[in-house]
Amino acid sequence: MTNPQILSCQAAIEQRRAARAFRPDSIPEDILREILRLGLRSPSGYNLQPWRFIILRQADSKAKLRACAFDQHQVTEAPVVLICCGDRRVNNGDYIESVIALGEQVGAMTDAFANYMRSAIPQLFEQHPCFESIEAWTNRHTLLAVAHLMIAAQSLGVDSCPMEGFVSAQVKAEFAIPDAVDVCCLLPLGYAAEPIKAYGGRFAIEQVCYGEQFGETF
């Protein structure tokens, strides 16, 4: 792999900013693949991994996306843009079996747990006790992966900019995204151009963290 200056996890989290402009420098292929590899190590309920990423590197593809994203310049400036999606079809029986087979391949699946998954996953999506819709669940997991991607990218010297500003129906139509797959966010990746966005500060732990129940002092 190309040898960038690798930051610690702590440094990557502290230095990450949403890049508002990008230099035209390309991301080396091996670094991009390592960002993706690390990002896909994100946690996932039942290991269903509902995230899907469309990787745009061609200028015409990014121009199409920019037209769906309120003409935001980061989309065409960044050398790579990910369309980050959540696939609601992961509760399909065949897909569940593919996850079980994956677990068997790496020695992490027992017959008992496989049978548990076959019964528990359909019940989760039918009763959905912890989410209002399947899209809420898939978006939840996709955003976990997006956070991992951003930290992995920063650790390898690559900046990012998570974006919500787009028309979902237009993005789906332009990039042949199936009805059962939802666009969660966009993620330009590249090397930030000056000026770098200033750190906006974060509320104190005591303001947003509670002890034992909501509103109680931590």
Side-chain angles (χ1 to χ4, degrees):
M1 187 179 76
T2 303
N3 189 26
Q5 180 181 0
I6 298 176
L7 299 177
S8 69
C9 180
Q10 180 181 8
I13 291 171
E14 290 186 339
Q15 293 182 24
R16 186 208 60 79
R17 301 287 181 273
R20 299 308 186 193
F22 291 90
R23 306 198 307 266
D25 313 51
S26 63
I27 302 174
E29 181 77 13
D30 55 349
I31 290 180
L32 177 59
R33 286 188 169 273
E34 182 67 359
I35 291 169
L36 296 171
R37 187 188 73 81
L38 292 172
L40 298 182
R41 294 294 296 266
S42 173
S44 171
Y46 293 104
N47 204 29
L48 289 174
Q49 306 168 58
W51 46 72
R52 303 290 182 265
F53 299 99
I54 304 172
I55 302 165
L56 306 184
R57 290 185 284 187
Q58 299 297 321
D60 57 346
S61 297
K62 291 185 287 182
K64 283 199 305 181
L65 182 60
R66 179 169 173 167
C68 305
F70 304 106
D71 198 36
Q72 295 182 82
H73 59 87
Q74 301 99 307
V75 175
T76 48
E77 284 182 354
V80 177
V81 182
L82 307 185
I83 303 175
C84 309
C85 305
D87 194 333
R88 286 180 267 120
R89 299 170 296 184
V90 295
N91 64 341
N92 175 277
D94 289 341
Y95 187 84
I96 294 170
E97 291 302 321
S98 73
V99 175
I100 291 170
L102 175 63
E104 291 172 342
Q105 289 171 19
V106 298
M109 183 65 60
T110 64
D111 290 342
F113 191 66
N115 289 330
Y116 172 73
M117 288 178 63
R118 293 182 180 109
S119 63
I121 293 171
Q123 290 180 31
L124 172 69
F125 284 93
E126 181 179 351
Q127 299 172 7
H128 49 86
C130 60
F131 52 89
E132 293 297 322
S133 68
I134 297 178
E135 181 180 357
W137 186 89
T138 55
N139 277 354
R140 184 185 297 173
H141 285 71
T142 300
L143 284 172
L144 283 171
V146 169
H148 273 64
L149 284 165
M150 290 191 293
I151 294 169
Q154 193 69 47
S155 75
L156 295 169
V158 176
D159 298 293
S160 60
C161 180
M163 297 173 61
E164 293 184 285
F166 57 88
V167 180
S168 182
Q170 293 179 6
V171 177
K172 293 181 74 166
E174 287 288 358
F175 295 92
I177 299 173
D179 288 342
V181 176
D182 305 298
V183 183
C184 182
C185 69
L186 310 179
L187 187 66
L189 295 169
Y191 301 98
E194 297 288 352
I196 306 298
K197 183 182 178 183
Y199 175 57
R202 290 294 184 269
F203 293 122
I205 291 173
E206 291 74 16
Q207 186 169 346
V208 297
C209 298
Y210 305 120
E212 311 308 328
Q213 65 180 10
F214 196 93
E216 291 296 322
T217 301
F218 172 62

